[in-house]
Amino acid sequence: SDVAANKHLHWSKDLGVGEFRSPSNFAGGNTFDSEGAMIVCEGGTRAVSRISSDGARVILVDRFKEKKLNSPNDVIISRDGAIWFTDPTYGLQGRAKEQDENRVYRYSLKTGTLEAVISTMSMPNGLAFSPDESLLYVGNSAEDDRYIMAFQVRPKGKLDNGRRFAEIESRRWGADGVKVDELGNVYAACGDGINIFRPDGSLIGKIPTDTDVTNLVFGGRSGKTLFFTGHSALFSIEMNVRGT
């Protein structure tokens, strides 16, 4: 996503960069469902949409309790097909805030219901599951309030035992995007690069960058290429572990 340019871009090693969708409704976080459709957080429409492989777009959800969402930011899908997304205020751009809290939501495609699963974080942003989906990690990116929470995932998407998993040292940026590798290590997009934490929350180290890291994902044929975005570029680095 190129949020500022209101575009979706695509990249491949053979073809380089191309335009996929413009305008993108100021899309931020994206993921893909089991059918290959893109699930998109649209700040412009304050909605989560689904774009099928033929380009058809459908809004899945844009309201909670009959009030507009803030501006969906990042999204993941659990193995049961439920869509989990964060809803901070970064994309409001002067528009009226209708929700009284900045939440994390779970949307069930099976029932068409939207449930608020976290309402206690000031600015929830990136999110990711542990490899076995027993834990949900959520980054909080409010200025001077930057950390990652870990929650135990119970049946039917219920969460409990929330705990402060890790602190983010960078006061400038983060935790934005969050991802997990096959060993359960947690990667956070931050102002001082990519911060990598062990499953116990201790810091393994950082991949330093010259830019704020805005999001990240594992990919490539081996699943060991870590792609990450800054404000004006896409980067990649080869890792020794795969992403989940």
Side-chain angles (χ1 to χ4, degrees):
S1 292
D2 188 341
V3 181
N6 196 17
K7 293 181 179 181
H8 264 135
L9 305 175
H10 60 75
W11 175 89
S12 71
K13 186 175 182 179
D14 295 332
L15 301 177
V17 178
E19 187 174 290
F20 166 64
R21 180 172 170 247
S22 179
S24 66
N25 296 316
F26 295 98
N30 315 285
T31 192
F32 289 89
D33 67 16
S34 60
E35 297 178 359
M38 182 184 286
I39 307 300
V40 181
C41 289
E42 297 182 354
T45 60
R46 301 163 77 163
V48 176
S49 68
R50 182 179 188 270
I51 303 172
S52 58
S53 57
D54 62 3
R57 172 182 168 273
V58 175
I59 289 180
L60 298 177
V61 61
D62 63 356
R63 292 175 182 269
F64 178 66
K65 294 185 176 180
E66 300 183 355
K67 295 182 179 180
K68 290 182 179 180
L69 296 172
N70 295 325
S71 57
N73 184 280
D74 213 348
V75 60
I76 55 175
I77 299 177
S78 50
R79 293 189 186 114
D80 63 1
I83 296 170
W84 301 65
F85 66 95
T86 54
D87 189 41
T89 58
Y90 292 119
L92 280 179
Q93 297 179 334
R95 294 172 294 178
K97 176 180 167 67
E98 297 186 16
Q99 298 295 331
D100 57 353
E101 294 174 306
N102 303 332
R103 302 182 179 94
V104 179
Y105 293 98
R106 178 182 182 270
Y107 178 70
S108 172
L109 283 170
K110 296 178 181 178
T111 64
T113 57
L114 181 65
E115 178 185 8
V117 293
I118 302 173
S119 302
T120 55
M121 300 176 68
S122 61
M123 200 66 77
N125 201 318
L127 70 174
F129 288 112
S130 61
D132 62 0
E133 292 194 0
S134 64
L135 295 173
L136 174 69
Y137 298 101
V138 184
N140 197 76
S141 58
E143 187 174 354
D144 296 324
D145 193 26
R146 297 188 169 122
Y147 55 88
I148 299 173
M149 291 288 292
F151 299 85
Q152 288 188 309
V153 182
R154 302 304 189 188
K156 298 182 180 180
K158 304 299 181 182
L159 302 178
D160 62 15
N161 296 329
R163 58 185 171 87
R164 201 105 159 185
F165 170 75
E167 301 297 321
I168 302 301
E169 296 176 352
S170 172
R171 296 297 89 194
R172 186 174 72 250
W173 192 272
D176 207 325
V178 175
K179 292 294 180 287
V180 178
D181 69 20
E182 60 187 335
L183 303 179
N185 300 314
V186 178
Y187 297 63
C190 299
D192 56 355
I194 298 171
N195 290 209
I196 308 173
F197 301 93
R198 296 180 180 88
D200 65 5
S202 60
L203 181 68
I204 294 176
K206 302 180 182 183
I207 301 173
T209 62
D210 293 328
T211 182
D212 299 330
V213 184
T214 56
N215 217 326
L216 67 171
V217 67
F218 283 92
R221 287 186 172 86
S222 68
K224 295 183 178 182
T225 304
L226 184 62
F227 295 94
F228 58 99
T229 53
H231 294 295
S232 60
L234 171 69
F235 306 87
S236 70
I237 185 171
E238 295 303 312
M239 308 295 290
N240 294 320
V241 290
R242 290 185 296 273
T244 59

